[in-house]
Every structure is written in C-alpha cells, then in structure tokens.
Amino acid sequence: MGALYLLFLLASIGCMMLLDHRFQLFFFSGAPLRAAAVLVAGLAFFLVWDLFGIGLDIFYRGETQFMLGLELAPHLPLEEAFFLAFLCYLTMVLFGLLKVAAARFGRPLTQAEAQR
C-alpha cells in the first residue's frame, strides 16, 4: 500500500502519454528532444521552487501510508518529483490541445505563433 500514490501518478502519466500520442500534442508532435528539454526545465524549476519552500519552512512533508517514505531531500518525497513531472506534462499537453483547437475551430495560427 506504500506505493499506491506513486502507482497512481505513473498511471496518470501513462494516460497523458496516450493522449499525447493519439493527438500528437507534445512529445509526439515531431520534436521529442525539444519536448524533453521543456519538460526537464519545468521539472527542474519546480524542484528548485520546492527546495526553496522547504528551506524557508513553507513546505513540509506530510505523512501518509500511501507513500513509499523515500525522500530526495529532507521533506521532499520521491513522489513529489513524479507529481511535478505530471504537472509539467499536463500543462504541455493542454497547450498542444489548445493549439489544435485553435487551428481547427479558430483562425489558423501563423508559423511564428505556432513556434512560440
């Protein structure tokens, strides 16, 4: 039961990958290295954000039986990294979905707008 939260996070990331693959929204849109760089940059930003929050005694690690109990740093559980990766991936997939919706239902994006 200690890995339940991590398993749900991995399942959520897997479902996001299926959506991404089906509609070619982020990793599967033709530039996987650029997508990986964006995801890693977002993950690094939020991990540093968390570390600052922990250092300033703003964030604390909550105790629950659904987590493994492994920490990447004091008060930074392993599951937090997977949650932040999911959050960044979700944001990029939603951005890709908005681009597809704008192209289909709104005015077509110019090349410069699509690359931003």
Side-chain angles (χ1 to χ4, degrees):
M1 186 127 139
L4 197 58
Y5 181 47
L6 182 58
L7 290 175
F8 278 115
L9 285 170
L10 291 173
S12 298
I13 291 170
C15 290
M16 198 62 51
M17 289 177 76
L18 288 173
L19 279 171
D20 183 11
H21 182 266
R22 168 64 178 91
F23 297 105
Q24 298 178 348
L25 301 171
F26 185 52
F27 272 106
F28 300 96
S29 67
L33 292 177
R34 182 172 53 187
V38 169
L39 187 66
V40 168
L43 178 60
F45 173 81
F46 283 115
L47 283 173
V48 169
W49 177 296
D50 276 1
L51 290 172
F52 273 107
I54 290 167
L56 295 171
D57 288 331
I58 297 170
F59 301 151
Y60 296 97
R61 180 178 181 267
E63 294 295 327
T64 178
Q65 62 182 352
F66 302 111
M67 294 170 58
L68 288 174
L70 299 174
E71 293 184 341
L72 300 174
H75 297 289
L76 183 65
L78 172 69
E79 291 87 356
E80 181 72 8
F82 285 93
F83 171 74
L84 293 173
F86 169 74
L87 185 67
C88 293
Y89 194 24
L90 172 67
T91 303
M92 293 295 96
V93 167
L94 287 174
F95 180 76
L97 182 63
L98 287 174
K99 281 178 33 177
V100 168
R104 184 167 186 173
F105 300 113
R107 67 173 178 80
L109 295 177
T110 65
Q111 185 69 14
E113 289 174 330
Q115 290 179 347
R116 283 190 224 168

